Structures are given as C-alpha cells and as structure tokens.
Amino acid sequence: MPLSFKIAIRYLFSKKSHSSINAISAVSVCGVAVATMAMICTLSVYNGFQEVIATLYSDINPQIEITAKEGKTIDTAISQIAALSEKDWIASVTPIIEDEALAVFGERQIPVTLKGVPDNYERVSGLNKALIDGCVAVGDTALSYAVIGVGVANNLQVGSGFMSPIELYTPRRKAKINMIDPMSSFNKGEVFCSGVFSVSQPEYDDKIIFVPINICRELFDYTTEASSLEIKLISGTNERQAKNDISELLGDGYSVKNRIEQQSQAFSMMQIEKWITLEILSFVLLIAAFNIVGSVSMLIIDKRDNINTLYNMGADSGLISKIFFAEGCLISAIGAAIGLIIGLGISLVQEHFGLLKMGDTFIVEAYPVKVIWTDIFAVIFIVSLIGFAAAWYPVKYLNSRTLKFKGQEI
C-alpha cells in the first residue's frame, strides 16, 4: 500500500482538532451515497417501465414487421416475399391489411383503423393474451367476426356476443364520388364482435379493430396486396441476425423493423427521459461533491503542522499532494460504495419481490424495476469522474499557498 494512501486513511478516521471537519466529511460521504443510490434506483425504475410497455406492445406487435418504403402496399405474390416462407428459422409469414374506416353501430359512429388478419392469427400473435372479454375469432363459415379495442367498444357501446353487427364503411379506391347517390361511393362490410382486447395504449385500444383479411380486401379493393407482413420466428432464433437476413433478401425497397423499432417514438422518448434524469442527478452529485472540496480544504488547513513535519522528514510536494488527493478519493469512494450497495439492494429486492405496490388501478401491481448492468457501470463511471475532480481541485488550486515549505509549493 502506498505511503500516501496509508496517511490518507489515517487522516480520514483520526480525530481532528475541529469537529466540524469530521461532520463535513460525514456529510460528503452521505451526499455521494444518496446521489449514487438515487441514480441506480431511478435508472432501474425506467428500465422496468420500459420492459412493461414492451411487454404490452408484444401482445399486438409482431416480432418482425415488413413494410414498403414507398407506397402503402406490398405485393405478396412476388418471388422475394414467397421465399420468406421457405426459411427454416421463420415460423410464419402473415400478410396484414391496415387502413382507416368508419365504424357504425346503431346511432354511434367513430373512425377506426381496420387490421385485416388471417383466420389463424391467434396462433401466430399474442392477441389472445390481451383479451379482456370474449375470444379471438376473425372468421366463420357464414359470419365474419372482429376483435375490437376496449376504447372502440366503449365508444360504440358494443361487446362480445351482441346480435347486431358493426357496419364498416370505406371509400371506393377506384371509383369517383357519385353526387346523386353518395353511398354508392363507399364499400360496406359487416362484422360481429367476438372479443374485446386492451393493451393500455390509446393508439391501440381506441382505434384498432381486427377483422378477417378477406373483409379488408373487399373494403379496400385489394387482391394480392398487403399493407405489411408480420413474421414470427422459431423459438431461439437470433432476432437481430434474422432481421439482417430478411433485409438482405428483400433489398432496399422494404423496411424491416423489430418490436422496438415499430414503436421507436415511444421508446425513444423513454430513453430521452431516462438520460435527462441521469444528467439531473449527476448535477445533484456535482453539488454534493462540493462538500468533498470543503472537507479536503479544511483538512489541509487543519494538518498544516503535520505537513511541515513531513517536509522536515524529507517528503516532497508530490507526496503531500498525493496524500490529500487520496483523502478526497477515499471520501468519494466510500460514499459511492455505500450508495451502490444500498441502491442495488433496493432495486434487486423490488425486482424480485415487488414490495412497493402501485395500487389496483395501474397496469402492474408493483413498481416495475429492472437492473441493467451497463447502467450500473455508467453510474460508477460518472461518480468516479466527479469524485476525482472534487478530490483534485482543492489540492491543485485552493490551498497551493498553504502547502509551502522552504520555498516549495504543491
């Protein structure tokens, strides 16, 4: 152990001539500890909420979605699209038609987004996990069924098992408006509500209606076209590699997105909020670090006689600087270690046991927490950087005149 470090430890725990120095050192340790703990807990909570939202979206969004970069539709009959189903790491390739329509039930009407899906859609998606009423059924030999968002159900005042159908209207894509008979300019379809889903996201719950794909083709005048392709991968497949392989197969004319990229705006906002919060807490830590500056500065003044003694024994200015620099680093390190242990302990306990509850009105029962080790390393780096600066500053500048002896200066 270096001599400077041994002396710094001795100074840290020994009794000072002024008790206020001990108090400031204790406050410095507590300030760094609290700021470090707050950083770890806050980042872990953000990670937990992001995971909850990703889980909610995973019930609706596919693992991989393919859309055209130009235009609204993809021709599913082309060879590249057909080649996708031949890949042994792809479980299913599902054509989807998605567009706007008017939904009418009784005297109520609202604009909705129709999502045309095949009859076996519940086997290739997580839609059944989001059901709160009824069942997933979008096809029948005689009738067509739909699964609607809870907001749509509330606005139309309809639910599963209702005997009257929901009427769907879309403008004819290839026809001109008939001013004499305006209704002839619209395509009309009817579906019965088989189920109601909720993912607690307004853009889905208040807009989406899942209907049979053949109904959408009739309403939007499509044949082999699709708005997008939804791909489900075989369990254990590397999603990133699969995404790259699909992009290479299809070429530049198609956009291939995973679940995070499909909701890039929502997740980007969460990431921005997360890192802005970290910056604010880093500023709080910086303010707390001024206590370290004060503590080291007062210790330098308190130990002036000891400094002269060390000079008389042959110590140079470099050793004196190292002693007080190590003193500041020790204060920062002890505070960081305490905050790290407490913050990790609180986060891991909440992650595995969910002791802190949110109440029955929220999506999840307990506050969601997820510890990501890259975040922990980021916190350690920030705390170390600020602690280093706080220890270096008073030794280098504030007390240069104090540490003079026989014409030498630190």
Side-chain angles (χ1 to χ4, degrees):
M1 183 184 295
L3 177 62
S4 58
F5 194 72
K6 289 182 179 180
I7 297 175
I9 294 176
R10 174 77 175 179
Y11 282 172
L12 180 63
F13 295 104
S14 64
K15 185 176 180 180
K16 283 77 172 178
S17 59
H18 299 282
S19 58
S20 59
I21 300 178
N22 288 328
I24 294 175
S25 297
V27 170
S28 302
V29 170
C30 292
V32 174
V34 171
T36 304
M37 178 190 68
M39 284 183 178
I40 293 173
C41 292
T42 301
L43 293 182
S44 298
V45 169
Y46 269 106
N47 296 332
F49 275 108
Q50 183 169 326
E51 187 176 57
V52 168
I53 292 176
T55 302
L56 293 175
Y57 280 128
S58 69
D59 293 339
I60 299 295
N61 290 345
Q63 279 184 282
I64 294 178
E65 180 187 57
I66 302 172
T67 56
K69 288 185 177 179
E70 295 183 1
K72 293 179 61 176
T73 61
I74 298 173
D75 187 354
T76 59
I78 64 175
S79 58
Q80 297 99 314
I81 300 299
L84 286 174
S85 58
E86 299 175 1
K87 301 296 182 181
D88 54 6
W89 38 269
I90 293 180
S92 66
V93 181
T94 307
I96 301 295
I97 297 177
E98 187 171 343
D99 213 328
E100 304 301 313
L102 180 69
V104 179
F105 185 78
E107 297 181 356
R108 296 175 178 270
Q109 58 183 23
I110 59 169
V112 296
T113 300
L114 296 185
K115 190 166 184 178
V117 297
D119 294 348
N120 65 340
Y121 188 67
E122 74 276 5
R123 294 198 294 271
V124 298
S125 76
L127 182 57
N128 57 333
K129 298 177 183 178
L131 279 181
I132 59 174
D133 183 33
C135 63
V136 177
V138 289
D140 192 87
T141 54
L143 301 174
S144 295
Y145 291 99
V147 180
I148 67 178
V150 64
V152 176
N154 289 335
N155 288 326
L156 292 179
Q157 293 295 294
V158 64
S160 64
F162 277 44
M163 301 301 294
S164 300
I166 301 172
E167 297 177 352
L168 303 172
Y169 294 93
T170 61
R172 293 182 184 271
R173 190 160 60 95
K174 300 178 181 179
K176 296 181 179 180
I177 297 176
N178 188 334
M179 300 302 296
I180 298 175
D181 183 13
M183 289 304 298
S184 64
S185 303
F186 291 86
N187 289 326
K188 177 184 176 183
E190 293 184 348
V191 291
F192 292 86
C193 178
S194 67
V196 179
F197 73 88
S198 174
V199 292
S200 300
Q201 300 299 319
E203 64 267 32
Y204 287 93
D205 292 347
D206 297 344
K207 294 287 290 183
I208 296 290
I209 295 182
F210 289 91
V211 299
I213 193 169
N214 61 302
I215 292 291
C216 272
R217 284 185 171 139
E218 293 174 3
L219 288 171
F220 299 115
D221 299 317
Y222 288 156
T223 53
T224 60
E225 300 97 331
S227 302
S228 63
L229 296 175
E230 294 188 357
I231 292 180
K232 182 179 181 180
L233 303 175
I234 297 292
S235 179
T237 302
N238 186 311
E239 188 174 295
R240 178 178 297 179
Q241 184 62 46
K243 176 178 175 291
N244 293 336
D245 291 344
I246 293 171
S247 298
E248 184 177 349
L249 174 64
L250 297 180
D252 295 333
Y254 298 90
S255 176
V256 183
K257 299 179 180 180
N258 57 26
R259 285 193 175 111
I260 298 296
E261 292 167 337
Q262 292 166 40
Q263 299 296 331
S264 58
Q265 185 174 2
F267 287 110
S268 295
M269 286 301 298
M270 289 198 66
Q271 286 295 320
I272 291 171
E273 291 174 359
K274 173 181 173 180
W275 295 116
I276 287 178
T277 302
L278 180 62
E279 290 179 6
I280 294 172
L281 291 175
S282 299
F283 183 72
V284 173
L285 175 63
L286 183 62
I287 295 174
F290 279 103
N291 290 317
I292 300 177
V293 175
S295 177
V296 174
S297 300
M298 293 185 68
L299 184 64
I300 290 172
I301 296 172
D302 184 67
K303 298 299 182 181
R304 187 181 303 174
D305 293 339
N306 298 73
I307 293 170
N308 291 335
T309 301
L310 288 171
Y311 271 126
N312 292 329
M313 294 175 65
D316 59 8
S317 59
L319 176 62
I320 305 300
S321 294
K322 290 177 181 178
I323 291 172
F324 292 102
F325 176 74
E327 180 80 11
C329 289
L330 277 172
I331 295 173
S332 176
I334 292 173
I338 294 172
L340 185 66
I341 293 171
I342 296 176
L344 270 177
I346 293 174
S347 299
L348 290 173
V349 168
Q350 180 65 19
E351 180 179 356
H352 291 92
F353 302 103
L355 300 182
L356 187 59
K357 306 298 182 182
M358 295 186 68
D360 298 334
T361 58
F362 292 90
I363 302 171
V364 290
E365 182 180 354
Y367 270 94
V369 171
K370 182 176 178 61
V371 176
I372 297 180
W373 294 104
T374 52
D375 289 349
I376 304 301
F377 293 137
V379 170
I380 292 173
F381 174 77
I382 292 172
V383 174
S384 300
L385 186 64
I386 293 177
F388 178 88
W392 171 81
Y393 184 80
V395 173
K396 188 66 178 179
Y397 292 106
L398 295 185
N399 294 289
S400 59
R401 295 183 179 180
T402 305
L403 301 180
K404 285 182 179 180
F405 185 76
K406 293 183 178 180
Q408 293 182 343
E409 181 176 332
I410 297 176

